[in-house]
Amino acid sequence: MNVEVTSVSKKEQKLSQVAAAIFVISQEDIARSGATGIPDLLRMVPGLNVAQINANTWAISARAFNSEFANKLLVLVDGRAVYTQLLGGANWDTFDVPLEDVDRIEVIRGPGGTIWGANAVNGIINVITKKTADTLGGLIVGGGGTAGLESGTVQYGGKVKKETSYRIFTRYLNNNHLPKLDGKNGEDGWHLLHGGFRADTKLTEKDSLMTEGDIYAGSEGGTIVHTILFPPQNVVIERLSEFSGGNVLGRWSHIFSSRADTTFQFYFDRYTRSGPSAHETRNTYDFEFQNHLALGSRQDLIWGVGFRPSSDQTVGTIDGSFVPANWNGILFNTFVQDQITLKPDRVLFSVGTKLENNYFAGFDFDPSIRIAWTPNKRQTFWAAVSRAARTPTRRSEGLQAALAALPGPTEILLEGNSKIKSEHVNAYELGYRAQLNPRLSLGTTAFINTYRDLESIEPLPPFTNTNPPVTVIPMQLSNKMNGTTYGLEVHGNWKVNHLWTLSPAYSFLHMDLRLDPTSLDSVSVADGEGSNPGNQAQLRSHLELLHGLAWDANAYFVGRLPAQGVPSYTRLDTQMSWKIAEELTLSVVGQNLLKDRHMEFNDMFQVVNSSQIKRSAYAKLTWRF
């Protein structure tokens, strides 16, 4: 209840005061997970659906609408948005934060648009890295196994005088390929070289500056369905995708007094991706100002403004292109949120909104009302009503993608819509969290979400191109679907004794999607409702043994995906770690131990073909000095 979080209101709050469904992955959780990257770590979050598509691609969403590019989930690293305006969602293959540098991951299920703006519709993932003062000295991590063939991190942290501490790192990973659905080589191996730095400087007694940056390059394989018109056929081909990029972020903070402070943040992000079906280069600049004021004894106000230009250059293929090929846009936003103490240490009421002029659909606003009642130090009841928007992307407006070739020759074409609108959700949440006794804690959330203007796919009248002669059956993206979802999320932590801890969780989801009377869409409802598991459950166990040994076992159950033909499965991961000395730790990990291989996701609209996830094992040695 005393854990402090910042993602709900951009200021530090105790968990007992937060009126949101938030789950914190701590440094201990990370060390005990046996995970090799952020996506596998996120499996422990109740209400989050994490599915691996192939060796380098994931589908991750909160509270439904999962896909390769889950466009209703906003991902952040130290406040920097990781969201592509071309396709929507995050590129998880380049989301490579060294786990040893992660302080915590705050995951909010439910809207966060009042603070974070567009696309924080069903959830927010905020990865917060450690301050450099906590990572002084050297770090070497090396490992390898059957899936992750080899990986390693070399890092050093130091000080420049008393005012500045820093760290620099370089990291490499090389992941093996997985088998396709027919058992053959999926050709989806993946390697990445990544380097970065962070510096924290105390400029004066009241001023501080944080700067950090990353640079990376890599490549990955995969198979896609390639359309050929003469003669008409759809063939599976192998594609090698190459990517590179980098970013730099700076954040200046000034404390006026114990009742007022301000922050200015700037970041620049650039990346290039070639393939598998199009080439993209993107530049994004972001400027953000934020001011925090305590007004009297009962009001705590935070407000800010933001400005984010972004531009891209694309080169298409016969499989996919974007019109126009090059694009640039500017996003403006302003937000305000006031936390009002109705009863000291008992009842907190928050109200606020964000006003945003987004890239494609004009102005939008994301209001919320939240209330938290803490009858005592061990219990919190909370409720929230909020609205959020998922704005269109370049895909929504200008996509031209060949879906299939038929005899004739005939081409089925999926195209964007210049008149497409933002999607909206109205979310209603009730929650309870408690420290029932010194050994047992519990959190539960119930929610109902109503959506309007969801994306649908509408058939248009066929037409014929004369040069060359091809009949085209166009399908256009539109906003003719609405729906309601509701669900329940429960998680707990039970310290059985001073050596053994159990952490169970369960989530339930029901979706009811429907089309407008004028819609001719025949696929979106079934695909949307049948691509998200109705039931998920997990049990994580941590046992401290003798002589520095610890054993962790994590079991995850995921319900079936009927629209994709993916059966339910249970994943079992286990880790045995040995702290050989204070500075040296050896870990041996087994993943997906119950079956040799299984499928986790196979959506009809994903870019790459699915592979089967294999049983795997690896060993890792961590040395701090």
Side-chain angles (χ1 to χ4, degrees):
M1 301 293 283
N2 290 323
V3 171
E4 290 194 338
V5 296
T6 58
S7 300
V8 177
S9 59
K10 287 192 176 181
K11 63 181 180 182
E12 290 187 350
Q13 290 179 288
K14 290 183 179 180
L15 200 58
S16 60
Q17 300 173 331
V18 172
I22 185 167
F23 186 93
V24 180
I25 301 176
S26 67
Q27 297 176 40
E28 284 187 346
D29 294 327
I30 295 170
R32 296 171 179 178
S33 67
T36 57
I38 300 292
D40 277 346
L41 265 180
L42 296 173
R43 294 179 188 273
M44 70 176 68
V45 181
L48 216 61
N49 180 211
V50 178
Q52 188 170 356
I53 298 175
N54 67 11
N56 55 68
T57 310
W58 285 262
I60 302 176
S61 70
R63 296 180 178 175
F65 299 101
N66 203 15
S67 65
E68 180 182 347
F69 294 96
N71 53 32
K72 297 175 183 60
L73 179 72
L74 185 64
V75 183
L76 307 153
V77 181
D78 289 330
R80 174 176 61 88
V82 181
Y83 190 92
T84 166
Q85 294 300 331
L86 189 73
L87 298 172
N91 290 311
W92 292 101
D93 52 0
T94 59
F95 193 72
D96 180 57
V97 182
L99 298 185
E100 293 78 15
D101 291 339
V102 176
D103 180 67
R104 64 189 186 277
I105 303 175
E106 298 179 3
V107 182
I108 299 173
R109 292 105 59 208
T114 299
I115 293 295
W116 298 105
N119 309 312
V121 175
N122 284 352
I124 300 161
I125 297 171
N126 191 8
V127 178
I128 300 169
T129 61
K130 295 177 181 177
K131 294 181 179 180
T132 51
D134 299 327
T135 57
L136 299 178
L139 170 70
I140 297 177
V141 181
T146 58
L149 296 177
E150 59 258 349
S151 65
T153 301
V154 178
Q155 178 174 292
Y156 182 77
K159 283 190 174 184
V160 179
K161 298 182 179 180
K162 293 183 179 180
E163 294 80 14
T164 300
S165 55
Y166 67 90
R167 67 169 171 262
I168 56 174
F169 75 88
T170 183
R171 172 172 159 79
Y172 175 76
L173 63 87
N174 180 26
N175 281 13
N176 201 0
H177 64 82
L178 294 174
K180 294 189 293 187
L181 302 187
D182 61 6
K184 298 179 180 179
N185 189 337
E187 302 294 346
D188 52 359
W190 168 40
H191 77 266
L192 178 71
L193 180 63
H194 178 199
F197 77 94
R198 171 169 170 163
D200 294 299
T201 304
K202 187 176 182 180
L203 301 173
T204 69
E205 287 298 318
K206 294 187 176 182
D207 294 89
S208 61
L209 176 67
M210 186 273 278
T211 55
E212 65 182 20
D214 295 89
I215 188 169
Y216 61 85
S219 65
E220 62 195 24
T223 60
I224 66 169
V225 177
H226 175 58
T227 298
I228 300 173
L229 295 176
F230 301 98
Q233 56 182 316
N234 304 290
V235 296
V236 175
I237 63 171
E238 301 167 6
R239 283 279 175 89
L240 179 69
S241 301
E242 297 182 338
F243 46 82
S244 62
N247 61 80
V248 61
L249 179 148
R251 182 182 301 119
W252 167 71
S253 300
H254 176 75
I255 300 174
F256 293 100
S257 68
S258 60
R259 303 177 62 81
D261 58 79
T262 192
T263 301
F264 177 75
Q265 174 181 289
F266 162 79
Y267 70 77
F268 168 70
D269 185 288
R270 175 183 172 85
Y271 67 81
T272 297
R273 298 182 67 93
S274 62
S277 58
H279 177 95
E280 175 196 10
T281 298
R282 177 168 299 278
N283 295 317
T284 301
Y285 301 83
D286 182 86
F287 304 85
E288 183 180 291
F289 171 81
Q290 176 183 303
N291 187 227
H292 174 217
L293 297 167
L295 305 175
S297 61
R298 291 183 177 269
Q299 286 185 271
D300 200 20
L301 181 72
I302 188 167
W303 66 277
V305 294
F307 169 68
R308 186 182 297 170
S310 186
S311 62
D312 67 34
Q313 300 85 42
T314 68
V315 178
T317 68
I318 190 175
D319 299 302
S321 62
F322 299 87
V323 180
N326 301 332
W327 169 89
N328 63 80
I330 299 177
L331 178 149
F332 297 92
N333 66 68
T334 181
F335 81 94
V336 60
Q337 181 168 281
D338 191 10
Q339 180 178 283
I340 304 167
T341 303
L342 300 181
K343 187 175 182 180
D345 299 323
R346 288 293 180 267
V347 184
L348 294 176
F349 177 76
S350 296
V351 59
T353 189
K354 190 155 198 167
L355 180 65
E356 190 165 69
N357 182 27
N358 63 65
Y359 294 115
F360 300 104
F363 279 96
D364 222 320
F365 68 100
D366 298 322
S368 68
I369 299 173
R370 300 178 181 273
I371 188 167
W373 172 44
T374 308
N376 54 57
K377 293 182 179 181
R378 293 182 176 273
Q379 295 185 87
T380 299
F381 296 87
W382 63 270
V385 179
S386 48
R387 179 183 189 267
R390 198 282 289 185
T391 60
T393 61
R394 287 269 276 136
R395 169 188 176 274
S396 307
E397 288 210 336
L399 176 68
Q400 298 285 309
L403 294 185
L406 304 174
T410 299
E411 179 185 33
I412 300 178
L413 178 71
L414 179 63
E415 61 181 36
N417 183 350
S418 61
K419 297 181 180 180
I420 202 160
K421 300 180 290 185
S422 295
E423 302 176 343
H424 292 95
V425 63
N426 292 325
Y428 309 88
E429 300 173 275
L430 287 173
Y432 172 72
R433 65 176 64 93
Q435 186 75 41
L436 300 177
N437 60 53
R439 294 182 179 272
L440 182 63
S441 62
L442 173 71
T444 182
T445 304
F447 66 90
I448 299 177
N449 292 346
T450 60
Y451 299 86
R452 62 181 177 85
D453 298 325
L454 291 171
E455 186 176 276
S456 62
I457 299 175
E458 304 297 331
L460 298 178
F463 62 90
T464 301
N465 285 330
T466 57
N467 188 22
V470 177
T471 300
V472 179
I473 302 176
M475 314 284 286
Q476 187 178 60
L477 300 176
S478 189
N479 297 99
K480 294 188 177 183
M481 187 165 66
N482 304 289
T484 301
T485 66
Y486 59 85
L488 177 71
E489 299 152 356
V490 183
H491 62 92
N493 196 72
W494 177 30
K495 198 167 183 63
V496 182
N497 53 47
H498 69 286
L499 298 176
W500 189 22
T501 303
L502 291 174
S503 301
Y506 169 76
S507 62
F508 165 77
L509 172 71
H510 178 81
M511 302 181 67
D512 181 17
L513 303 180
R514 53 195 177 276
L515 297 170
D516 291 348
T518 59
S519 175
L520 300 175
D521 189 334
S522 61
V523 297
S524 294
V525 168
D527 182 64
E529 292 181 346
S531 296
N532 300 272
N535 295 276
Q536 296 189 89
Q538 61 177 269
L539 180 62
R540 295 181 289 121
S541 169
H542 173 74
L543 181 62
E544 294 283 349
L545 303 172
L546 299 176
H547 308 296
L549 290 170
W551 176 42
D552 294 278
N554 307 315
Y556 304 94
F557 169 80
V558 180
R560 68 189 185 99
L561 308 180
Q564 303 180 13
V566 176
S568 62
Y569 63 90
T570 300
R571 172 190 175 112
L572 177 63
D573 301 341
T574 188
Q575 172 181 258
M576 183 68 74
S577 60
W578 179 25
K579 196 167 188 179
I580 303 170
E582 189 65 29
E583 305 84 6
L584 193 64
T585 303
L586 174 66
S587 301
V588 179
V589 180
Q591 296 179 314
N592 300 296
L593 297 180
L594 296 184
K595 293 185 67 175
D596 178 59
R597 60 187 67 182
H598 70 275
M599 184 168 56
E600 294 189 356
F601 206 76
N602 191 29
D603 185 57
M604 67 177 75
F605 295 112
Q606 64 196 37
V607 176
V608 294
N609 292 341
S610 292
S611 296
Q612 297 184 77
I613 314 306
K614 278 186 63 65
R615 180 187 293 132
S616 62
Y618 75 91
K620 181 178 73 172
L621 189 67
T622 303
W623 179 31
R624 302 178 187 273
F625 56 94

